[in-house]
Amino acid sequence: MTVTISATELHERFSGFRVLDVRWALGAPDGRPAYLAGHLPGAVHVDLEAHLAAPRAAGDGRHPLPGPGALQEALRGWGITGGEPVVVYDDSGNLAAARAWWVLRDAGVDVRLLDGGLGAWVAAGFPVEGGDVVPAPGDVVVSENRLARIGADEAATWPARGVLLDARAGERYRGEVEPVDPRAGHVPGAVSAPTGENLAADGTFLPAEELARRFAGLGVAPGTPVAVYCGSGITAAHTVAALAIAGIDAALYPGSWSQWSSDPDRPIEVGP
């Protein structure tokens, strides 16, 4: 599985890809102003909250996965045609763009993460442009459920038969702080695996060998069932991507801590 593309490779092959700008951050979800100020040439803005998540219903996490009909409409609105390869990026080490990577792969789209995101593109001396890009409508047809995912009941039993990784910051895992969700702590038996540790200092993914060593240190041995959660299923997709770079298949728990902590019947653990 090819997960990433470098800025240089994308620049050399640019006309062969549809490029999506997926800037988003917890506490600053609207990436459109930054997009309008400067983005990769021809890149189409993607609103993560509106198009890479469904409206929240009772019992869901904060960012439920979008339904296939709504997703297909969004993809066509971004100009994606059947069989067209896609590159997604953001300006935060792909912590947001990984959600697009996971959702599009799950829908059968050939998609890659721009390794290092916008920063790598600019650092390489490649141009950016301002303003909006409105492409001609595409005709892509999405498929469903290409990638593994689990629900809360499976997350509850997962540590007994595999490794459940918590991709949030360590202080949230330990229950020292909880900025957005109802209760602090983690799913019992989960292992702390902060997403930021997937990255080198320049915001690119660590090499595959280093990622493999990292996950081995967290108990992920060959053949071990692995699942990942975070706050609401956004940055957990980044760790699924990092695992894929290391040659490891992993399931995503989309509801994540926001779903788990909202259910008073679900137990929690705190501490390291």
Side-chain angles (χ1 to χ4, degrees):
M1 178 192 299
T2 302
V3 177
T4 64
I5 186 170
S6 71
T8 298
E9 184 181 1
L10 177 60
H11 185 260
E12 292 172 349
R13 303 171 55 196
F14 200 85
S15 62
F17 293 93
R18 173 71 59 186
V19 181
L20 305 179
D21 184 305
V22 197
R23 279 180 263 188
W24 174 95
L26 186 65
D30 185 4
R32 187 168 182 80
Y35 163 82
L36 292 173
H39 53 78
L40 269 65
V44 177
H45 172 64
V46 171
D47 185 329
L48 185 151
E49 299 271 349
H51 298 127
L52 297 177
R56 186 176 186 178
D60 288 337
R62 282 184 280 112
H63 293 107
L65 294 174
L71 178 61
Q72 179 170 286
E73 182 180 358
L75 294 177
R76 290 181 175 185
W78 302 332
I80 299 174
T81 59
E84 180 180 32
V86 176
V87 171
V88 295
Y89 75 90
D90 59 30
D91 59 358
S92 57
N94 283 318
L95 298 183
R99 170 71 169 213
W101 172 86
W102 194 95
V103 169
L104 269 62
R105 283 198 83 94
D106 188 56
V109 176
D110 177 7
V111 57
R112 303 176 194 179
L113 289 157
L114 173 58
D115 203 10
L118 179 62
W121 181 267
V122 172
F126 301 138
V128 297
E129 65 181 20
D132 202 3
V133 174
V134 181
D139 61 3
V140 67
V141 176
V142 306
S143 56
E144 295 183 65
N145 302 333
R146 294 287 190 95
L147 302 182
R149 83 284 309 279
I150 65 171
D153 290 342
E154 291 170 287
T157 60
W158 200 273
R161 59 189 181 90
V163 177
L164 180 63
L165 298 177
D166 183 318
R168 298 172 301 158
E171 58 269 23
R172 290 185 71 190
Y173 168 88
R174 295 188 295 271
E176 297 164 5
V177 298
E178 182 44 64
V180 287
D181 292 317
R183 295 186 289 165
H186 58 266
V187 176
V191 177
S192 181
T195 300
E197 294 179 16
N198 298 328
L199 299 173
D202 63 357
T204 59
F205 281 94
L206 293 171
E209 320 81 69
E210 291 187 38
L211 288 169
R213 285 196 294 271
R214 181 195 181 211
F215 294 122
L218 297 173
V220 180
T224 304
V226 186
V228 190
Y229 75 92
C230 58
S232 64
I234 302 297
T235 59
H238 192 279
T239 293
V240 173
L243 285 156
I245 291 170
I248 301 164
D249 291 330
L252 177 73
Y253 172 22
S256 285
W257 186 247
S258 58
Q259 181 185 49
W260 185 278
S261 62
S262 296
D263 184 347
D265 293 329
R266 297 285 180 189
I268 63 170
E269 285 184 345
V270 296

